[in-house]
Amino acid sequence: MALLTCQDVSFSYEGTPALTGVNFSVEAGSYLCIVGENGAGKSTLIKGLLRLKNPSQGKILMGDGLKAAEIGYLPQQTVAQKDFPASVYEVVLSGRLNRCGFRPFYTKADHLEVKRNLNLLGIEDLQESCYRDLSGGQQQRVLLARALCATQKLLLLDEPVTGLDPLATAELYRVIDRLNQEQGITILMVSHDIGGAVEHADHILHLGHQQLFYGTTQAYCASEMGRHFTGGETKC
Amino acid sequence: MLKTFLTMLSYPFLVRALIVGILVSLCASLLGASLVLKRYSMIGDGLSHVGFAALAVAYAINAAPLSVAIPVCVIAAFFLLRVKESSKIKGDAATALMCSGALAVGVMTVSLTTGMNTDVCNYMFGSILAMSRSDVVLSVILSIAVLILYVFFYNKIFAVTFDEAFSAATGVQTNLYNMVIALLTAITVVLGMRMMGTLLISSLIVFPALTAMRLCRHFKTTILISAVLSVSCFLVGLTISYLGSIPTGACIVVTDIVVFAIFSFLEKIRERM
């Protein structure tokens, strides 16, 4: 069974439909990019996948024993984080909160998992640094490590490369590719960067208040809409 | 110095002020870090004005002051922390409305019942003489409860403060913990405002956290340093107030300002190095 399946899912805000007729399924180990213009319903879909908003219609099914609380989520950064005095270690450790339940403190296993993920992303020497002193690319790596602490299977990334310079963007895509290929972690990425999306993802979901396209990246590039939105780029 | 302090301890009202003051300073500094980082610095001001109105009404109807003020402030705190979600009136505007509205109600109640007298002055600027024995017992119990709850929920409060979206996604009941923060803040503000005064209580929440944030790079050290600063500024302020016969609240705030200036200066030096 697929890791995540949306069956004819619709969302609405106070009766006004925001997104309708979404049908797709994500197999374990795949890399799906969700693209679309502002207000196309991408954020709404993310809320739905995280079970923070109930679909007004249709069903979201999770397979392979995946629970909603075990999706590794990388949200967009908030203003509050800009001057937040927290060490990298503290931030990454907070990713293990979903294992705690009502237990107030972290266990040794939690600390080991943090070390493992810091190593995996090559930021173990930053663990005592203050989060607010890091560059944008480093901050995203820290949040990625935190997301990995919350999941073994599925990462949901909300516009991870927004605001990064080209070098940091390329670096972050490399890190995500590696997690997908070497660790077998399924990637679901919402992105504005359509060039990056077709270059790295194997499936594309294009939204515009409804599902405009879902299929493999090759099919997307060959389609009329894909050619239009990628501006004839030949990366795929 | 030690002699002055021992003389101070020979006055029972000062001992009471000392016990309650230390506990309230601790609670306020712990919560302060979260509130400042979540952009709720003004919540202390809003709540203390509501507390003022509640105290005025409590005196007018002859009810126990804390038993009226605490529930009213808790409701106001829930309202203020939730206002963020409804976008018609923003959080800062709601706080401003609540501040002036509650102050007006309080002043009207006071002038219709007891008239504007020294009691009102005590509400506004604080008085350490206001603490009765039963007040002290209740304050001690409540502030210890706040401290225990804070330690118990520390990791969740950190996560909710740092990133509400992520916490919600990983199954943390963010609304519940925001309500815990609101509840603890409301209790702390009501306990502290008798001593610090309506106009000065928010400094107890804001100053230690902001001062510690100048130099600290970890959340845990920020919390610990702000707790230490909060208690030491309280002690210094209380001593100055005793020596100079100046209102306690004002002395504590001035001490806070001096320490804040020193820390900001040290931060500048460190940036230059």
Side-chain angles (χ1 to χ4, degrees):
Chain A
M1 186 185 169
L3 200 55
L4 192 70
T5 310
C6 281
Q7 286 178 354
D8 197 28
V9 172
S10 298
F11 294 97
S12 58
Y13 287 99
E14 289 161 8
T16 320
L19 184 63
T20 51
V22 178
N23 276 296
F24 68 93
S25 67
V26 182
E27 297 294 330
S30 66
Y31 190 153
L32 170 71
C33 250
I34 303 170
V35 296
E37 285 158 34
N38 286 337
K42 297 180 303 234
S43 309
T44 307
L45 181 60
I46 287 186
K47 279 188 196 150
L49 296 177
L50 292 170
R51 298 290 153 104
L52 300 177
K53 183 168 176 57
N54 286 325
S56 56
Q57 222 183 3
K59 265 193 255 175
I60 300 174
L61 303 169
M62 304 218 174
D64 292 348
L66 183 74
K67 296 190 190 104
E70 285 174 10
I71 296 177
Y73 178 43
L74 186 104
Q76 296 182 37
Q77 296 208 38
T78 63
V79 213
Q81 290 165 0
K82 290 222 172 80
D83 54 356
F84 204 100
S87 70
V88 166
Y89 195 87
E90 286 175 309
V91 173
V92 177
L93 186 60
S94 71
R96 294 288 290 181
L97 210 59
N98 59 352
R99 311 290 160 102
C100 284
F102 283 103
R103 184 159 43 79
F105 304 108
Y106 296 109
T107 61
K108 207 169 172 191
D110 294 328
H111 289 278
L112 287 175
E113 183 67 16
V114 171
K115 293 240 162 64
R116 196 178 74 84
N117 287 317
L118 286 170
N119 277 325
L120 195 61
L121 293 180
I123 48 173
E124 64 273 29
D125 49 336
L126 290 178
Q127 60 173 297
E128 289 303 313
S129 308
C130 184
Y131 179 79
R132 65 180 167 194
D133 297 338
L134 303 178
S135 71
Q138 285 170 327
Q139 287 183 343
Q140 286 300 57
R141 277 188 185 220
V142 172
L143 297 187
L144 209 50
R146 178 183 66 168
L148 283 174
C149 277
T151 189
Q152 303 289 339
K153 294 172 185 146
L154 176 64
L155 279 179
L156 180 53
L157 316 172
D158 193 354
E159 300 188 10
V161 298
T162 305
L164 296 184
D165 61 61
L167 214 63
T169 300
E171 184 63 39
L172 192 67
Y173 273 125
R174 237 187 337 267
V175 170
I176 296 169
D177 279 352
R178 219 181 65 216
L179 291 174
N180 179 237
Q181 284 152 18
E182 291 171 17
Q183 306 290 321
I185 292 171
T186 313
I187 308 282
L188 257 174
M189 184 197 287
V190 170
S191 185
H192 267 130
D193 177 17
I194 192 115
V198 294
E199 192 181 338
H200 295 274
D202 51 35
H203 285 74
I204 300 282
L205 173 65
H206 194 128
L207 300 177
H209 299 295
Q210 52 177 319
Q211 183 168 323
L212 298 177
F213 179 89
Y214 171 68
T216 61
T217 309
Q218 286 83 357
Y220 182 69
C221 290
S223 72
E224 184 65 32
M225 186 172 50
R227 274 205 303 278
H228 176 66
F229 277 95
T230 53
E233 282 182 50
T234 49
K235 278 176 180 168
C236 39
Chain B
M1 182 68 205
L2 189 68
K3 211 172 156 197
T4 326
F5 204 69
L6 286 175
T7 333
M8 281 168 66
L9 289 183
S10 66
Y11 296 99
F13 76 90
L14 271 180
V15 175
R16 288 204 289 266
L18 207 62
I19 296 171
V20 177
I22 288 177
L23 287 171
V24 170
S25 309
L26 267 179
C27 297
S29 60
L30 296 183
L31 292 165
S34 285
L35 292 172
V36 167
L37 289 165
K38 281 170 81 76
R39 302 287 188 269
Y40 288 122
S41 299
M42 289 306 287
I43 198 169
D45 244 6
L47 291 181
S48 64
H49 284 78
V50 173
F52 170 74
L55 284 184
V57 172
Y59 274 103
I61 59 172
N62 263 330
L66 288 185
S67 63
V68 176
I70 288 179
V72 171
C73 275
V74 168
I75 293 168
F78 285 163
F79 172 73
L80 281 180
L81 282 183
R82 289 206 65 108
V83 119
K84 210 179 186 182
E85 290 145 40
S86 78
S87 54
K88 275 187 187 150
I89 298 177
K90 296 280 182 255
D92 58 337
T95 313
L97 284 181
M98 199 175 263
C99 263
S100 42
L103 191 61
V105 171
V107 170
M108 268 178 81
T109 315
V110 169
S111 64
L112 284 177
T113 51
T114 56
M116 297 293 235
N117 51 24
T118 41
D119 272 359
V120 182
C121 197
N122 284 346
Y123 290 146
M124 297 305 260
F125 302 105
S127 161
I128 44 171
L129 300 167
M131 289 283 173
S132 74
R133 221 187 156 72
S134 61
D135 277 357
V136 174
V137 174
L138 188 62
S139 304
V140 169
I141 295 172
L142 283 178
S143 38
I144 288 176
V146 170
L147 292 177
I148 291 174
L149 280 175
Y150 189 87
V151 172
F152 197 75
F153 289 128
Y154 168 79
N155 287 318
K156 270 118 186 165
I157 290 177
F158 168 78
V160 171
T161 310
F162 182 74
D163 195 337
E164 214 166 310
F166 178 83
S167 308
T170 47
V172 176
Q173 299 287 325
T174 48
N175 279 337
L176 174 74
Y177 291 101
N178 278 332
M179 264 151 83
V180 168
I181 296 176
L183 174 76
L184 302 184
T185 311
I187 294 174
T188 309
V189 166
V190 174
L191 295 181
M193 64 177 281
R194 312 283 296 288
M195 186 172 56
M196 292 293 286
T198 303
L199 298 178
L200 301 175
I201 177 70
S202 65
S203 63
L204 219 52
I205 290 177
V206 179
F207 266 111
L210 279 176
T211 307
M213 276 162 61
R214 293 306 104 216
L215 291 182
C216 294
R217 288 150 172 267
H218 294 194
F219 192 68
K220 206 169 254 167
T221 47
T222 307
I223 299 281
L224 290 176
I225 297 285
S226 72
V228 170
L229 285 175
S230 183
V231 173
S232 12
C233 288
F234 165 73
L235 291 175
V236 173
L238 188 67
T239 313
I240 296 174
S241 144
Y242 167 76
L243 292 175
S245 304
I246 312 165
T248 318
C251 290
I252 298 171
V253 178
V254 169
T255 316
D256 275 326
I257 293 173
V258 172
V259 176
F260 179 76
I262 295 172
F263 272 62
S264 307
F265 182 67
L266 290 175
E267 186 192 28
K268 283 271 177 302
I269 292 182
R270 197 172 69 181
E271 276 169 9
R272 291 268 169 83
M273 284 200 310

